[in-house]
Each structure stands twice: as C-alpha cells, then as structure tokens.
Amino acid sequence: MTHRLSRRDRGAVSAWTAAMSVLAVALALTVVALAQVQAARSRAANLAAEAARAGVQHIDLTVYRNTGDLVLQPGPAGAAAQAHLTAAGATGTATVTANRITVTATSRQPVPLLAIFGIGGEVTVTATAAAQPFTADPIGGP
C-alpha cells in the first residue's frame, strides 16, 4: 500500500528543513557572539586586577621599616597601574588610598559576529578591581 502525496504536500519537508537550518545557524552565531562578549568582560576584569597588582607593589619602604605599616606611594602606585593599562591598550583610572589601590579598566574589544546582527563590531567593557599589600607569614601562610 503506497500513499501518494498530493501536489500541495510536495516540498513541505524541504521548506521545513531549510527554515530550521537557518534558525540553527542564527542560534549558533548568537551563542558565539555572546561568548565573545563574555570573553571581553573577562579580559577587562583581568586587566583591572593585573593593573591593581602592578600598583600595589609600590609601598613606602621608609614607613614600613619605621612602623611596620604597609602604606602605598600614591604617585608610583597609580603610575604603575596606568602604565599597565596603557600597555594593554586599555584606559582607566587608579585610585590610591593609604593601603589600597582600586583600578577601573575600560577596553574596546572586537566582536566581529556582532556586525552580522547590526550591533557593530566592537563592545566597550569596564571592570573594577582592588588590591592591598600584605606580607607573608614567615611560616608560609598569607
């Protein structure tokens, strides 16, 4: 027993398959574009943390030797953080208090797949990180 397709049923599966294929490709491109945006955010967070660590290395040795207090040198600490951001192609700010540096990094990351959706080929991401100097316990703990 064979079933004959009517003329209006011909090609229905092909049209459905084509539509689902286009939808699957669009979904895959969206997932990849969102992953690229998340990677850009992660990179900005890493840049801010790295710049903060670069700045926190500039402690005032005279104060430390006389009092044992870890106090940052505002000028050199901020300059080191800014230099790190500049070397990475980012911009941002570094705020230094007595024993803490807070860095906000802003970078523009290329995300080529966003251009497909008409959003543009770049995203601007901003992240903030802070660091404080510390001395290691001579026994091995922080």
Side-chain angles (χ1 to χ4, degrees):
M1 179 170 179
T2 56
H3 177 49
R4 294 185 149 266
L5 295 175
S6 69
R7 287 186 185 248
R8 61 188 173 124
D9 288 337
R10 283 197 174 148
V13 172
S14 298
W16 183 85
T17 302
M20 289 301 115
S21 297
V22 168
L23 184 62
V25 168
L27 182 61
L29 289 174
T30 301
V31 168
V32 171
L34 290 175
Q36 289 177 329
V37 170
Q38 185 58 35
R41 288 182 180 150
S42 178
R43 182 173 183 267
N46 287 338
L47 280 174
E50 291 167 0
R53 285 191 299 270
V56 81
Q57 295 177 30
H58 295 275
I59 61 171
D60 189 331
L61 293 176
T62 304
V63 172
Y64 180 67
R65 288 181 184 130
N66 292 334
T67 66
D69 293 334
L70 293 171
V71 176
L72 295 176
Q73 295 175 313
Q82 289 291 343
H84 186 82
L85 292 175
T86 301
T91 60
T93 60
T95 305
V96 182
T97 61
N99 68 345
R100 184 178 181 91
I101 183 168
T102 304
V103 177
T104 300
T106 302
S107 65
R108 298 178 61 91
Q109 300 294 315
V111 183
L113 287 178
L114 289 181
I116 294 172
F117 298 106
I119 298 174
E122 284 187 335
V123 293
T124 301
V125 289
T126 302
T128 301
Q132 290 180 237
F134 67 92
T135 58
D137 183 359
I139 298 174

